[in-house]
Amino acid sequence: MNYEEFFRNKIRNLHEEGRYRIFADLERQSGNFPVATVHRDGETRDIVVWCSNDYLGMGQNRVVLDAIHEAIDKCGAGAGGTRNISGTNHYHVLLEKELAELHGKESALLFTSGFVSNLAALHTLGSLLPDCVIFSDELNHASMIDGIRSSRTEKKIFKHNDPHDLDRQLSQYPKNQAKLVAFESVYSMDGDIAPIAELCDVADAHNAMTYLDEVHAVGLYGANGGGVSQRDGVAHRLTVIEGTLAKAFGVMGGYVAASSSVVDFIRSYSSAFIFTTALSPALAAGALASVRHLRNSEVERARHQERAATLKRRLMAAGLPVMQSPSHIVPVLVGDPTLCRNVTDLLMDRYDIYVQPINYPTVPRGTERLRLTPSPLHTDEQIDALTSALGEIWHDLGLKQAA
């Protein structure tokens, strides 16, 4: 077999389908979010970022930066080992306690990313619970899918956000058989929100555990930033709540929160946790400062919701095909991978605006889109500039406008 030819052909296919990913070479400007410096063809210029998952700009918040600097001066750069072998720093212990309190759970466990926390927790639960069946929402994130698949347990896919289909499928299994229902709160590509209470009702009726991914909601919803489950008053009903420190909290890392026994079980049996170097103490310190700040401040959340509503309103007024969303996610439908890339290239080249195209397999073919993520720090002028630029590009490319 000609290995190099195989690899080249596979990459060529991505180019031909308009799905080849190009990474923007960016320098975030501390204190000037959402502006960043882009490096391109040996030159640099400032651009406005409209697709960051640093939803609240906490990655540049002074409280977070000061905590990171202090931790570096106190502890140095790395953790020095796995959590079991010299790598458990006091910042890890404090952060896990804070996260458990955030979600009203007995315990929490840190991982190096949200992807890893999903992969590790779902793999461990699925592979070790005897005769377990995992019921997974059809739009669950790739990290959840990988964790479930790697567990090699039986899995069933239920229709997106559909408690009735979940009930139908759960009814096919004995009540005393181990079952786990896995779903998200905010789905990041469409921006829709799960009916958490109804899904919990169904799971409880069939004696199933529940696993909720809150990565696109922690810090953003609820009185203290505990996510949609906190906002809706149902956090106590979830067996496991999984979250990230890399989006609204602005740093890096992932975690699960649950009862002490569930967390200790994952801690003790997950190879992805046991054999991984611990998160840097500086990152843990920054995340701790961010979580504490957002547990006590509504300012960022309120401004964030207002900015999202304002952007949606102005885009719709301009006739752009905004996909309806009850969350802070603002998807704009393009419907073709090549055109989607053309739109984002024009935004960058003509208007110094950076948006990453969202194509298959992240979203289904024919639903290619822009995924806009306004932050509390985006100004009215930046919203107007984006709206105007998109209107001109839609006209120039002859793209379909809103009905």
Side-chain angles (χ1 to χ4, degrees):
M1 181 178 184
N2 187 325
Y3 298 107
E4 286 296 315
E5 183 180 1
F6 170 81
F7 298 138
R8 286 193 296 268
N9 287 339
K10 295 296 285 186
I11 295 300
R12 187 181 304 114
N13 290 342
L14 292 177
H15 280 286
E16 291 172 353
E17 295 173 15
R19 297 196 293 118
Y20 183 76
R21 288 178 169 88
I22 298 171
F23 298 161
D25 182 355
L26 303 178
E27 277 185 73
R28 282 156 59 89
Q29 297 181 7
S30 184
N32 200 25
F33 185 80
V35 175
T37 301
V38 63
H39 292 253
R40 193 172 179 183
D41 300 326
E43 298 180 351
T44 63
R45 70 181 195 276
D46 286 352
I47 50 96
V48 177
V49 178
W50 274 101
C51 55
S52 174
N53 281 341
D54 187 359
Y55 290 132
L56 301 178
M58 291 300 294
Q60 303 188 21
N61 186 287
R62 195 71 253 169
V63 171
V64 175
L65 298 184
D66 288 346
I68 291 173
H69 283 297
E70 180 182 352
I72 289 174
D73 291 340
K74 287 177 64 176
C75 304
T82 64
R83 290 289 298 274
N84 183 53
I85 305 178
S86 82
T88 294
N89 189 279
H90 189 54
Y91 284 116
H92 298 136
V93 177
L94 293 176
L95 178 54
E96 287 173 339
K97 182 176 184 294
E98 194 76 23
L99 291 167
E101 292 176 356
L102 173 67
H103 294 291
K105 300 297 183 184
E106 293 177 343
S107 191
L109 187 66
L110 280 174
F111 293 86
T112 50
S113 74
F115 194 106
V116 174
S117 56
N118 268 336
L119 180 70
L122 287 167
H123 169 89
T124 304
L125 292 168
S127 61
L128 294 180
L129 280 168
D131 299 319
C132 183
V133 183
I134 297 182
F135 298 80
S136 177
D137 187 288
E138 65 179 337
L139 293 188
N140 275 344
H141 189 264
S143 58
M144 301 176 77
I145 294 169
D146 282 358
I148 295 167
R149 182 183 293 127
S150 70
S151 75
R152 298 187 179 180
T153 195
E154 183 180 356
K155 66 178 183 295
K156 305 292 287 187
I157 311 300
F158 65 92
K159 293 178 182 177
H160 178 53
N161 282 349
D162 190 336
H164 298 292
D165 189 51
L166 175 62
D167 182 62
R168 179 186 64 80
Q169 296 198 40
L170 280 165
S171 298
Q172 299 170 14
Y173 293 85
K175 195 166 185 178
N176 63 351
Q177 183 171 357
K179 297 176 289 294
L180 175 65
V181 178
F183 57 102
E184 302 181 38
S185 58
V186 176
Y187 288 83
S188 64
M189 291 301 119
D190 291 339
D192 55 336
I193 295 176
I196 300 174
E198 290 87 344
L199 293 171
C200 285
D201 288 343
V202 173
D204 290 347
H206 295 277
N207 191 33
M209 298 171 64
T210 47
Y211 183 104
L212 178 66
D213 177 317
E214 285 261 40
V215 297
H216 291 279
V218 289
L220 304 176
Y221 298 89
N224 304 111
V228 176
S229 59
Q230 184 184 77
R231 184 198 70 178
D232 295 351
V234 294
H236 64 285
R237 302 188 62 185
L238 282 309
T239 310
V240 180
I241 295 176
E242 185 268 347
T244 184
L245 304 169
K247 293 182 170 63
F249 295 128
V251 190
M252 181 182 176
Y255 63 90
V256 293
S259 69
S260 295
S261 58
V262 170
V263 169
D264 201 15
F265 174 80
I266 297 170
R267 183 191 74 87
S268 300
Y269 284 97
S270 170
S271 58
F273 174 81
I274 294 168
F275 299 106
T276 297
T277 298
L279 198 68
S280 161
L283 294 176
L288 176 63
S290 185
V291 174
R292 284 177 172 171
H293 176 82
L294 290 174
R295 286 186 71 188
N296 294 287
S297 175
E298 279 286 343
V299 174
E300 293 85 1
R301 281 189 286 279
R303 173 71 172 174
H304 183 236
Q305 289 295 318
E306 182 276 324
R307 292 286 80 186
T310 297
L311 178 61
K312 290 176 185 178
R313 188 170 58 250
R314 297 203 184 163
L315 293 175
M316 288 188 289
L320 292 158
V322 178
M323 302 168 67
Q324 292 303 308
S325 155
S327 72
H328 59 283
I329 305 294
V330 185
V332 181
L333 182 66
V334 178
D336 177 273
T338 302
L339 289 173
C340 201
R341 168 59 68 182
N342 289 346
V343 171
T344 58
D345 285 348
L346 288 170
L347 281 171
M348 179 74 92
D349 295 340
R350 285 188 191 173
Y351 304 97
D352 294 332
I353 292 172
Y354 173 52
V355 179
Q356 188 68 15
I358 306 296
N359 293 331
Y360 176 84
T362 307
V363 295
R365 296 182 192 275
T367 69
E368 293 82 4
R369 69 197 63 177
L370 311 181
R371 176 184 174 273
L372 306 175
T373 54
S375 77
L377 302 176
H378 281 92
T379 65
D380 283 338
E381 292 76 17
Q382 288 166 342
I383 290 176
D384 289 342
L386 173 65
T387 303
S388 175
L390 286 174
E392 292 174 10
I393 291 170
W394 242 252
H395 176 269
D396 291 348
L397 295 181
L399 296 176
K400 185 177 179 180
Q401 292 191 307

